[in-house]
Amino acid sequence: MLTLFRWLLRLTVGLLVLAVLAGVLTWYFAVRSLPDYATSHRVEGISAPVEIVRSTENVPHIFGETDADVFFALGLAHAQDRLFQMTLLRRTAQGRLAEIHGPRALPQDDLMRRLGLYALARRSVEVQDEPTREALAAYAAGVNQWIRIVNEGARGRGAPEFFLFSDQIAYWQPADSLAILKLYAASMTDAASDEILRARLSLAWPQHGADIVARAGLPRPAAPYADIFPEARFANPERRSDRDALRAPLTYLRPGLSLGATAFAAAPRRTIGEGALLAGDLHGRLTAPSLFYLARLELSSGGVIGATIPGMPLVLTGRNPQLAWALTPAGLDDADIVIEEVQPGNPNRYRGPEGWLDFETRRELIRVLDGEDQTITLRDTRNGPVVPGLEAGLRDVVPIGHVAALRWTGLTPEDASMSALMALMRSSDADRAADALRPLVAPALNVLLASDDAVHSLMAGALPQRGADHPTAGLLPAPGWLQTADWAGLTQLADTPVQPESGMALATEGPDRQDPRRSRLARLLGDREVHSRDSFIAAQLDIVSPAARALLPVVGADLWFTGDPAAPGTPERQRQDALALLAEWDGAMNEHLPEPLIYSAWMGALQDRLIRDEIGPLADDIHSLQPAFIEAAFRNANGAARWCDIVQSAATEDCVTIARQSLDRAIQDLTARFGPDVESWRWGDRHEARHIHPGLGNLPALGWITNITQSVSGGDFTVARSGLFGRGSQPFAAEDGATFRGVFDLADPDSSVFIISTGQSGHPLSRHYDDLSRLWRRGEYVGMSLDPALARAAAVGITTLTPAN
């Protein structure tokens, strides 16, 4: 027995030693991939020495003799900090995520192969102007030079993720950057998603289903979807897990992500200084690291600083010495779902305007990690690619014997959008910016411009031309065989910049939406005659919900202070306590208060109770609050109070009853989670910003290291957007938000500030992986300057690149 004990002890000690050695080796190889910012490299591809000056926050300031050398260094800096992110974005555009993520990435790869974004990007390289082609080539050379440095110096493959996702890192190509821009454009539009949702609601309740989205600001179709496709029938889909699947992001961008942004500006006559003010933020999924990356480039046209996306040599929102610009999605209807009829008995043909036509078909192989490789058949029609997996709900609106194709402006092969955006960041005034943006196709954008003497706004991008006799006006999927459903062409929207008479300009996600954030922002800007940088920061960080202020007085009008005081500890007393708190609340979605949590739970339960009995499980896909719809129901606008009646019950419920029942249900759920004391509840306990690492974030141990979780203030409709995700196990988690914020003061440029939601580095062991996230959470910023002396004075490291020859 003693001998057995000794051998068990030796075995245990041996296993512990092996575990320690494995941990040390893992740490060693992971640390090898941390870049040294205070060093020099002899590189091929530059004409003269280049300096990358790293600020305290790891923002690279790049100085070179030529623009090509500067873009080369930007590519190298992006690769130093975000190489895995860049390759992941490229894989997404190519439809090759399953090679590293396995079968769960197959649906996304299948969609990307059918859209063909990467093939379109390769075709569009030659249509870029000469400066853009030179910049793309130089940028790619810089990325590839860092890959060579990593390989030759055994620097841990460039990022620790590559040890888990074993694969050769292909050299960067100019088409890769163009493909990422197309992917970004596809992530900004929700036109096709809106069509699908309208059609599903129309089929679920032909008479009034469109009320939900119409009240939310989306146009109402002239006729029910069943009138266009009589053979279409609502299938009452089963409850799906799509929402849960999206909680585990496989990458940073995907079609239909509906990225947003906010921008506002003040002319010099409305500021305390002698120059304009501009504020802009860019919304996206909260990932670790952030989609965006801060950088400064010293170009021949002057310094440029702002937000970039690793993979593109482009400052999306930023400023140069003469001009600042901020971009938001234009919210145009730039896509159509087209229903194609397949010839009976011949699946290789579809119906055209004058007879049956052959599908353009090709077959592609999708390689799958730890799974069986999949061969898929891709089909294209005269209207666009067939996309059965565009959205889970699409199959609900496609009649039997038909398929759905996508017509989208971003599928244009001759797309010079990269050239347009590259020219924008070199523009010195609003007129030159407008000229630069004329070739822009996708994404369609609202652009705010600020110069020393004025602010301007304009819209840029391609708008489809639909005829007056279009069968659905682009609001619902249309028959592909009707020539009246065709586009007559595309209209380029870039026009003469407009100066607002008030001296104030603002833009959110499209001009046609009833956006409570827009009304709140307009009020904040209008309440002051003169603005400063600090007032713009306060407006950008505003956490008051205009939706809460509008809804609570209407929904709770007959519930406030009613009935005798109930006994402590009873459900009636909890309801009274909750209503008393809400009656005194100013609508601030502060993480330390109970009121935002009670309000959000109440409105979520109320909306679900209003619509679920009419549209069934389709209610799960209405995953955001629709304040205008709820207000219309309680005000009985055009008979909208009919939604308050539960159609399956014998009794006729009114809106007051539904409001009370919904509040009781919300309080029950919150009590089960946080206890009976209403005043002890906190919004931040349920509203956490979850920055998930695409790939590693799903792994139990590594997810704990790579993911960043922190409670935050704000909500869906606050200017400081902190979007809710919808229903599920974590209905109030902040899954998206302003992942970049910037305020540009042209009167005192060096006082301009910006921030991203995580850190500059994508390496989990770097101190710059999450150092900015704490500032971002607290509403703080870091300085933004184009003064080379200031950049060098605050440098924590300078990387010097010298020509190899």
Side-chain angles (χ1 to χ4, degrees):
M1 181 63 70
L2 182 60
T3 302
L4 178 61
F5 175 77
R6 288 174 177 172
W7 277 106
L8 288 175
L9 179 62
R10 291 168 184 169
L11 180 61
T12 302
V13 172
L15 290 175
L16 290 174
V17 170
L18 289 175
V20 170
L21 288 175
V24 170
L25 287 174
T26 300
W27 176 85
Y28 172 78
F29 285 115
V31 168
R32 287 286 296 169
S33 57
L34 281 170
D36 181 3
Y37 298 129
T39 187
S40 61
H41 299 287
R42 298 183 65 85
V43 298
E44 297 179 356
I46 58 175
S47 60
V50 181
E51 286 187 328
I52 306 176
V53 180
R54 299 277 183 166
S55 72
T56 306
E57 299 82 14
N58 195 27
V59 177
H61 294 246
I62 302 175
F63 303 93
E65 294 293 329
T66 68
D67 287 359
D69 289 350
V70 171
F71 286 120
F72 177 98
L74 177 63
L76 189 143
H78 275 167
Q80 276 184 312
D81 288 324
R82 302 284 189 90
L83 184 59
F84 180 73
Q85 176 183 353
M86 295 169 65
T87 59
L88 203 60
L89 285 168
R90 177 172 62 182
R91 282 187 173 277
T92 306
Q94 293 173 333
R96 296 179 54 217
L97 286 175
E99 294 180 12
I100 61 172
H101 285 312
R104 62 196 178 117
L106 268 173
Q108 187 159 326
D109 281 355
D110 179 272
L111 174 60
M112 297 309 301
R113 297 290 183 98
R114 294 179 190 280
L115 291 177
L117 296 188
Y118 195 78
L120 291 169
R122 283 192 304 225
R123 294 173 60 183
S124 65
V125 171
E126 296 304 319
V127 305
Q128 310 304 317
D129 59 28
E130 185 62 27
T132 300
R133 289 200 301 272
E134 291 179 357
L136 291 171
Y139 179 86
V143 176
N144 296 335
Q145 184 62 56
W146 179 250
I147 295 174
R148 293 189 187 98
I149 291 172
V150 167
N151 291 337
E152 293 170 1
R155 297 174 180 267
R157 306 200 69 202
E161 293 92 339
F162 290 118
F163 287 107
L164 295 177
F165 301 111
S166 180
D167 190 30
Q168 296 296 320
I169 305 173
Y171 282 133
W172 202 261
Q173 304 292 331
D176 299 342
S177 299
L178 296 174
I180 292 174
L181 179 59
K182 282 193 170 291
L183 182 61
Y184 186 58
S187 301
M188 293 180 75
T189 180
D190 54 7
S193 300
D194 289 345
E195 283 191 20
I196 295 168
L197 181 58
R198 289 191 200 98
R200 297 176 72 200
L201 290 169
S202 179
L203 289 174
W205 197 10
Q207 293 80 13
H208 305 293
D211 281 352
I212 300 173
V213 292
R215 302 289 182 188
L218 297 179
R220 174 192 284 271
Y225 186 65
D227 290 356
I228 303 168
F229 293 99
E231 61 273 34
R233 293 289 182 271
F234 182 61
N236 197 22
E238 297 179 358
R239 199 178 293 267
R240 299 193 181 98
S241 59
D242 302 303
R243 302 276 80 81
D244 293 332
L246 294 179
R247 287 187 182 277
L250 302 176
T251 184
Y252 294 85
L253 295 170
R254 60 172 177 79
L257 200 55
S258 300
L259 301 181
T262 304
F264 49 100
R269 62 186 172 87
R270 298 290 303 271
T271 69
I272 62 173
E274 297 180 354
L277 283 166
L278 174 69
D281 56 35
L282 298 170
H283 302 162
R285 292 295 303 275
L286 297 181
T287 56
S290 164
L291 172 66
F292 300 104
Y293 179 93
L294 307 176
R296 176 263 181 86
L297 314 175
E298 189 65 30
L299 302 176
S300 57
S301 57
V304 181
I305 190 168
T308 69
I309 293 179
M312 296 192 293
L314 178 65
V315 175
L316 285 165
T317 288
R319 72 174 183 91
N320 59 37
Q322 298 85 27
L323 188 71
W325 63 96
L327 312 178
T328 74
L332 298 178
D333 187 1
D334 58 358
D336 281 346
I337 298 295
V338 180
I339 304 298
E340 308 281 15
E341 182 180 356
V342 179
Q343 183 177 10
N346 189 350
N348 298 318
R349 310 193 80 194
Y350 68 99
R351 184 180 176 186
E354 298 178 355
W356 299 103
L357 302 173
D358 291 328
F359 286 106
E360 295 180 19
T361 62
R362 64 190 186 280
R363 294 172 67 83
E364 291 191 7
L365 177 69
I366 301 178
R367 300 193 180 280
V368 183
L369 178 69
D370 298 329
E372 185 177 348
D373 295 346
Q374 301 290 319
T375 300
I376 60 174
T377 300
L378 311 181
R379 298 190 289 180
D380 290 271
T381 73
R382 68 184 191 91
N383 295 305
V386 175
V387 286
L390 182 64
E391 279 199 14
L394 179 58
R395 61 176 178 264
D396 296 333
V397 303
V398 178
I400 296 175
H402 296 69
V403 295
L406 176 67
R407 187 190 287 134
W408 173 48
T409 56
L411 299 179
T412 304
E414 292 75 27
D415 183 356
S417 296
M418 179 67 79
S419 295
L421 294 172
M422 292 285 288
L424 169 64
M425 72 179 188
R426 291 186 169 105
S427 299
S428 57
D429 56 48
D431 290 333
R432 288 183 174 85
D435 290 338
L437 289 170
R438 294 191 193 283
L440 185 70
V441 175
L445 299 169
N446 293 313
V447 185
L448 293 192
L449 304 166
S451 57
D452 288 335
D453 57 352
V455 297
H456 297 80
S457 64
L458 60 89
M459 188 178 293
L463 176 66
Q465 298 177 2
R466 298 180 181 88
D469 56 349
H470 191 287
T472 69
L475 301 180
L476 293 171
W481 57 90
L482 296 182
Q483 287 186 324
T484 55
D486 292 350
W487 290 353
L490 299 177
T491 300
Q492 299 301 130
L493 293 175
D495 53 7
T496 304
V498 176
Q499 290 192 49
E501 294 182 3
S502 65
M504 305 295 298
L506 65 93
T508 54
E509 293 95 21
D512 298 325
R513 302 295 180 86
Q514 297 175 4
D515 187 352
R517 290 188 303 115
R518 187 183 182 93
S519 62
R520 172 67 182 173
L521 186 54
R523 179 174 180 177
L524 291 172
L525 298 178
D527 282 347
R528 296 174 61 107
E529 184 62 30
V530 177
H531 282 274
S532 66
R533 185 204 69 166
D534 290 341
S535 73
F536 262 42
I537 290 176
Q540 194 172 60
L541 299 176
D542 184 74
I543 58 171
V544 172
S545 171
R549 286 187 167 188
L551 284 179
L552 285 175
V554 178
V555 174
D558 296 314
L559 300 179
W560 306 123
F561 311 111
T562 59
D564 297 327
T570 63
E572 291 78 11
R573 180 59 176 268
Q574 282 186 300
R575 183 200 307 149
Q576 291 175 352
D577 290 344
L579 287 168
L581 289 171
L582 293 176
E584 302 296 329
W585 181 45
D586 65 354
M589 305 290 285
N590 189 305
E591 62 178 297
H592 303 294
L593 297 178
E595 292 91 342
L597 180 57
I598 300 169
Y599 155 76
S600 298
W602 184 11
M603 293 302 110
L606 174 60
Q607 179 170 285
D608 187 69
R609 197 163 182 81
L610 287 174
I611 66 177
R612 186 168 294 276
D613 58 312
E614 283 87 2
I615 65 175
L618 179 53
D620 291 332
D621 289 346
I622 311 296
H623 53 83
S624 61
L625 192 68
Q626 307 295 331
F629 166 71
I630 296 175
E631 185 174 358
F634 277 78
R635 293 188 185 277
N636 196 23
N638 297 321
R642 58 180 165 264
W643 288 90
C644 292
D645 181 35
I646 307 299
V647 295
Q648 286 90 350
S649 68
T652 300
E653 290 82 6
D654 58 19
C655 291
V656 176
T657 301
I658 294 298
R660 184 177 61 253
Q661 292 174 347
S662 301
L663 178 58
D664 290 344
R665 172 61 183 272
I667 291 174
Q668 288 176 7
D669 292 343
L670 294 176
T671 299
R673 183 177 291 268
F674 299 112
D677 186 1
V678 173
E679 294 188 0
S680 70
W681 299 344
R682 295 292 178 264
W683 177 228
D685 292 339
R686 295 296 302 275
H687 189 59
E688 291 184 324
R690 302 176 64 245
H691 310 260
I692 307 299
H693 186 291
L696 300 185
N698 306 321
L699 304 178
L702 293 176
W704 181 81
I705 297 172
T706 59
N707 297 340
I708 304 170
T709 302
Q710 50 192 186
S711 62
V712 290
S713 299
D716 252 349
F717 302 105
T718 57
V719 178
R721 177 176 168 82
S722 182
L724 309 184
F725 193 79
R727 298 178 177 84
S729 58
Q730 295 176 318
F732 306 119
E735 300 285 347
D736 63 58
T739 52
F740 164 82
R741 298 187 185 114
V743 178
F744 309 89
D745 185 351
L746 274 69
D748 183 10
D750 289 337
S751 70
S752 301
V753 292
F754 56 0
I755 195 75
I756 58 174
S757 56
T758 56
Q760 288 282 89
S761 176
H763 198 301
L765 298 183
S766 169
R767 67 186 179 94
H768 298 296
Y769 183 72
D770 61 354
D771 57 337
L772 298 182
S773 67
R774 294 182 289 274
L775 302 178
W776 175 84
R777 175 187 177 274
R778 296 196 299 262
E780 299 178 18
Y781 298 76
V782 299
M784 177 200 315
S785 174
L786 289 176
D787 185 343
L790 287 177
R792 296 179 189 280
V796 295
I798 299 178
T799 302
T800 303
L801 308 179
T802 56
N805 56 355

